[in-house]
Amino acid sequence: MGLGLVESGRFPKPLTKLLNMSRKYSLWVYQWGLACCAIEMGAAFGSPRYDVMRLGVIPFPASPRQADLVVISGTVTDKMAPPIKRLYEQMPSPKYVISMGSCANCGGPYWDSYSVTKGIDQILPVDVYVPGCPPRPEALLEGIVMLQERIQNEDMAERWRGDPIVVG
Amino acid sequence: MIRLPSVDATDERAESADPEAESAEPDERREAVVAGFAEEFGEQLVGSHIEPDREVWVRVAADAWRAAGEYARHHLRCRYFEFLAAIDWMPSPFGRSMDAEVDNAAKEPEPAAVQATPRNTGATGGETRFQVFARVAHVHDHDYWGVVLKADVGDGPDDLTIDSWVPVYAGANWHEREAWEMYGIEFTGHPGLRHLYLPSGFEGRPLRKDFPLLPRIVKPWPGIVDVEAMPGEETDVVKGDDRSSDEADQPEDSDQ
Amino acid sequence: MTALTDSQKLAYVASQAADARVNVELETEGMTLNIGPQHPATHGTLRIIVRLDGELVAGADPVMGYMHRGYEKLTEVRSYPQITTLINRIDWLGSFANEVPFILAAEQLMEIEAPVRARWIRTILHEMSRIANVTLFLGDMGVQLGALTPVFFAFRDREHVLNQIEAVTGGRFHPNFDRIGGLKDDLPKGWIADTKQTMERVRTFCDEVEDLLMGNEIFEARTRGIGIIPPDVGLQFGLSGANIRASGIDWDLRRDNNIGLAYDELDWKVWTHPDGDSFARYWVRLQETREATKIIDQLCDGLPSGPVMAKVPRIIKVPAGEAHVCTENPLGEMAYYLVSQGDLVPFRVKIKSASFNNLSITPWLLKGVYVPDVITILASLYFILGDLDR
């Protein structure tokens, strides 16, 4: 409903809050597992120990067209970058990106490789960077919580002007 | 002290290894392998080297490359194909430029002399810049041993051809595609040499020594800034802020 | 090449028909199915282009390189201690096992031998990385067949093993713990008792998974007689590890070519299976996980005392020479062919990873199977993308 209202800037504040809260607790996350981080992401999303669903994150959408959030976890190579871009474009807006791990953040240990893309932010706008090689599942969960805070305080019209968050 | 590859260094090593080899029991099985190759290939067997109880290297002429594979597979019962790869013996034209300036400061800066020194070309030597090598192994009857086969390839960097091993070991297919992609070696008789790892538009042969790693040129490596003290070491090395004193230590340490 | 199975003969005929696009009785057209590059069954980023004739696979062409990071080039510009960090990330499920053969190769050239205790602890960690790696396979194989429970069990019990690895090395995934000449540190206090408990848990996990899957009608129907690899074909494609032992080749590098590790002093068994199908590969890995827990128990009982680090120069320079060391890693044989010119950095490191060879058989193996079996066969061959592409 209210998307037209948001764009016109005439959206009542309590309603924005409600909308944002419902958005932040029903994040459908598409897992783009690429390398080592994919296993830690799998541990965060799939294992009973970390249990991501308690944060209101639903980890198994059937396709990127259903997803609100994509977690790019792992090494992005120049050969892989075009498919990532294409799948990102298939996601409906508003969409969020978490870049997980040093490789996706900046190339990581492969900073001098001839085949690795030095950071996913060269091709996608990233909302949260989770550092680590690989980050522990808890770090990813913290990244998700920070993203949820961001969604909660979000003025939809200003969505694209925000700076990325870095998990400390 | 000579830090960079030189033939002398290898010779010394080979000589010092010889008395050991005599005192140890001769490795009959590996010697039999070399003798078998010598009998089968005669002059086409260019070189061989045995490290007792470890490894045997056999270098054949390029013409005999496929025959050597067939011999290993059918006569030596080396059924297991481990890998096939290539090597570029040219010293890196970037010299130590791949290293940081702080590392370079600790070395004798003589890149020109490096180019002039003869190349050290491994266990069985080599005359050309590029070599292919492969390892096959015998895995039956709780008796494991392998043999490394080598052959020189081509004259110049643009004319590299050698017989494919795909008819001998079907598994060589991807390995040869990799060697073609990384070094530009053409394998005659290969069912389809095309890119394996890299996107099809990729230019250059990444594993050749003259392929530059651009990020290193754009942004130099900060250097080996942290040398960890080994747990066994008596004197706990505390690194001072003064880099130059640390670099002065370096040659002494490496002589130990 | 040896005798073909019936389905492979059929596939040959089918592929001929698909190639020629001529079928006298009924005009059919082949279909190309693209699996990947992002598909759950490929464990990451592998793309397989499958040509279909009806439901039969007429030809499969894996396209890889989506995870190619250029290891062999990067090792030429990194010093030896830096390389240990890098090669952790080849097979990211069994990271410590990647370090072992490289360190052994460097030690061979430097003519250094690690102290006995270091070798025993290396063996413990080597087997632990096997468990950390293979347990995920044991769960994941169920996922590929639609059974979700085993993978949750696997993640649950794998955490305990990771905790033990973390207690020693400080890293869940990438320990970077092995050093030329020994290990970075000794074991922490109380670790042995915890480890034995963990091994008990892993054995329980193996029993649970066996209860869940073995004898399950769907599991048996989908794996028995599917994806048969004859021993000779497997060897010439360079299959190693459990994949070739499941084809009846009794070959284990831990027993037959034990370099620098403590396997000779232990009582354990190499498991083989004569069938060579997907089921056999699963079964062999299950038994190997159990065997690994027994190995670790024995190692913990008999752990010798002493230092964990030999005397090595502070700046590692490896003398000129060539060394080849292979060990039995979780995925199969992992080998490093190290060429040194006596410098701070290696001259050339050929990394022979198990998955590369294990997957190179797929164009041959997938011919003539049905589409759903592609997934189970790939899962049963068990590859890690980092190990495949390097």
Side-chain angles (χ1 to χ4, degrees), chain C residues 128-380:
Chain C
M128 279 207 153
S129 40
R130 184 185 314 280
I131 294 172
N133 187 323
V134 177
T135 43
L136 209 55
F137 162 80
L138 296 175
D140 182 69
M141 184 79 181
V143 174
Q144 311 300 343
L145 293 163
L148 272 175
T149 320
V151 80
F152 291 124
F153 284 3
F155 267 118
R156 182 195 66 196
D157 290 324
R158 198 168 163 272
E159 287 289 329
H160 298 293
V161 181
L162 292 184
N163 280 352
Q164 290 308 104
I165 295 177
E166 190 182 7
V168 188
T169 65
R172 277 162 62 86
F173 260 58
H174 302 312
N176 191 19
F177 192 63
D178 213 349
R179 297 283 187 275
I180 292 173
L183 293 167
K184 182 173 169 289
D185 266 322
D186 210 331
L187 298 176
K189 210 177 158 190
W191 191 81
I192 301 276
D194 288 355
T195 304
K196 290 195 146 182
Q197 227 170 16
T198 309
M199 290 306 116
E200 203 53 55
R201 279 179 202 273
V202 173
R203 275 193 288 271
T204 317
F205 162 75
C206 291
D207 295 344
E208 281 174 344
V209 168
E210 190 166 18
D211 280 353
L212 280 170
L213 291 179
M214 302 262 156
N216 179 319
E217 205 171 317
I218 298 171
F219 185 79
E220 301 255 332
R222 291 288 304 279
T223 54
R224 287 226 189 239
I226 306 285
I228 295 176
I229 303 176
D232 194 54
V233 176
L235 282 178
Q236 66 164 310
F237 274 103
L239 260 65
S240 53
N243 286 334
I244 199 72
R245 282 193 287 277
S247 296
I249 300 278
D250 187 10
W251 166 49
D252 192 316
L253 285 166
R254 292 177 284 175
R255 180 193 62 202
D256 300 337
N257 188 38
N258 177 34
I259 302 167
L261 295 173
Y263 291 109
D264 288 345
E265 294 154 65
L266 309 170
D267 174 32
W268 59 286
K269 180 176 170 359
V270 176
W271 291 86
T272 59
H273 197 291
D275 285 1
D277 54 8
S278 298
F279 181 85
R281 290 189 280 277
Y282 188 86
W283 187 86
V284 168
R285 289 208 174 88
L286 182 64
Q287 302 305 331
E288 281 184 2
T289 313
R290 288 199 171 121
E291 208 63 41
T293 62
K294 284 179 205 157
I295 291 176
I296 293 177
D297 276 352
Q298 291 177 42
L299 287 163
C300 286
D301 286 335
L303 194 64
S305 57
V308 291
M309 191 74 199
K311 190 87 182 147
V312 289
R314 197 161 62 90
I315 305 245
I316 303 278
K317 270 197 177 185
V318 173
E322 295 182 37
H324 169 275
V325 171
C326 50
T327 55
E328 186 74 29
N329 273 27
L331 297 161
E333 182 205 33
M334 174 135 198
Y336 290 87
Y337 190 91
L338 176 63
V339 181
S340 172
Q341 301 272 38
D343 216 334
L344 283 171
V345 295
F347 187 74
R348 166 99 165 91
V349 181
K350 164 69 192 169
I351 303 168
K352 185 263 159 188
S353 56
S355 298
F356 186 74
N357 281 14
N358 285 348
L359 204 72
S360 70
I361 200 171
T362 45
W364 184 86
L365 187 61
L366 293 182
K367 243 180 196 187
V369 303
Y370 289 103
V371 181
D373 292 337
V374 172
I375 306 301
T376 53
I377 289 172
L378 284 177
S380 76

Side-chain angles (χ1 to χ4, degrees), chain A residues 6-9 88 93-96 125-127 150 153-165:
Chain A
V6 171
E7 277 148 20
S8 62
Y88 175 76
S93 207
K95 50 193 171 184
Y96 303 90
V126 177
D127 293 281
R150 184 190 175 123
N153 301 323
E154 194 169 72
D155 184 352
M156 299 269 292
E158 288 181 1
R159 155 102 182 87
W160 292 106
R161 276 175 247 153
D163 294 321
I165 307 167

